[in-house]
């Protein structure tokens, strides 16, 4: 039993390393969306209401999803899907528009990074 577990672990490391990344990098390097703006947007949300936040960055209705990830998935090579979230309470929230946050849909300050500030928005 122990040897079969070891061989499975070694196999997964081989498969991941043959693709150019290690097993620890897989969870750390999530694919982020296209940078849509370089600052968050403050909006009023209503407690209990469900929202659909755009994660790909291509929506024309930022920060909300408009379905672009479905209709243009192949031509734009979009890998992200929107994030459903339920507002925990009524009030103002800062939603990420740079799409580089590690706490989607909320802003975590990722827009302040040098790479984001220097990025060219299409």
């Amino acid at each position: 039993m122990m040897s079969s577990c070891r061989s499975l672990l070694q196999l997964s490391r081989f498969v991941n390393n043959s693709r150019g990344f290690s097993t620890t990098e897989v969870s750390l390097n999530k694919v982020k969306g296209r940078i849509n703006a370089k600052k968050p947007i403050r909006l009023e949300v209503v407690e209990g209401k469900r929202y659909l936040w755009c994660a790909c960055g291509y929506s024309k209705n930022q920060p909300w999803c408009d379905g672009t990830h479905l209709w243009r998935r192949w031509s734009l090579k979009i890998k992200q899907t929107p994030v459903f979230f339920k507002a925990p309470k009524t009030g103002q929230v800062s939603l990420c528009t740079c799409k580089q946050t590690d706490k989607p849909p909320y802003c975590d300050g990722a827009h302040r990074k040098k790479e984001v500030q220097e990025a060219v928005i299409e």
Side-chain angles (χ1 to χ4, degrees), residues 72-92:
R72 308 235 6 237
R73 174 170 294 218
W74 307 115
S75 63
L76 296 174
K77 296 182 172 67
I78 296 173
K79 295 181 176 151
Q80 302 79 16
T81 55
V83 174
F84 279 98
F85 73 99
K86 189 174 180 179
K89 61 182 182 178
T90 299
Q92 293 275 322

Side-chain angles (χ1 to χ4, degrees), residues 7-109:
S7 62
L8 283 174
L9 182 59
Q10 289 170 344
L11 177 63
S12 72
R13 284 186 183 145
F14 170 77
V15 169
N16 289 334
N17 285 333
S18 67
R19 291 184 180 148
F21 46 80
S22 70
T23 52
T24 55
E25 290 174 323
V26 173
S27 60
L28 297 176
N29 291 334
K30 294 180 182 175
V31 177
K32 306 281 183 160
R34 177 182 77 101
I35 297 172
N36 186 276
K38 296 181 182 180
K39 60 183 180 178
I41 188 167
R42 295 223 12 111
L43 295 171
E44 181 84 20
V45 293
V46 179
E47 181 178 355
K49 187 173 178 184
R50 298 180 74 185
Y51 297 92
L52 188 60
W53 176 77
C54 169
C56 72
Y58 287 96
S59 173
K60 301 288 186 223
N61 189 26
Q62 288 295 326
W64 312 122
C65 175
D66 68 359
T68 301
H69 70 281
L70 294 171
W71 312 122
R72 308 235 6 237
R73 174 170 294 218
W74 307 115
S75 63
L76 296 174
K77 296 182 172 67
I78 296 173
K79 295 181 176 151
Q80 302 79 16
T81 55
V83 174
F84 279 98
F85 73 99
K86 189 174 180 179
K89 61 182 182 178
T90 299
Q92 293 275 322
V93 294
S94 291
L95 297 179
C96 177
T97 57
C98 75
K99 311 305 176 187
Q100 307 306 300
T101 184
D102 288 327
K103 298 178 182 180
Y106 305 105
C107 175
D108 67 355

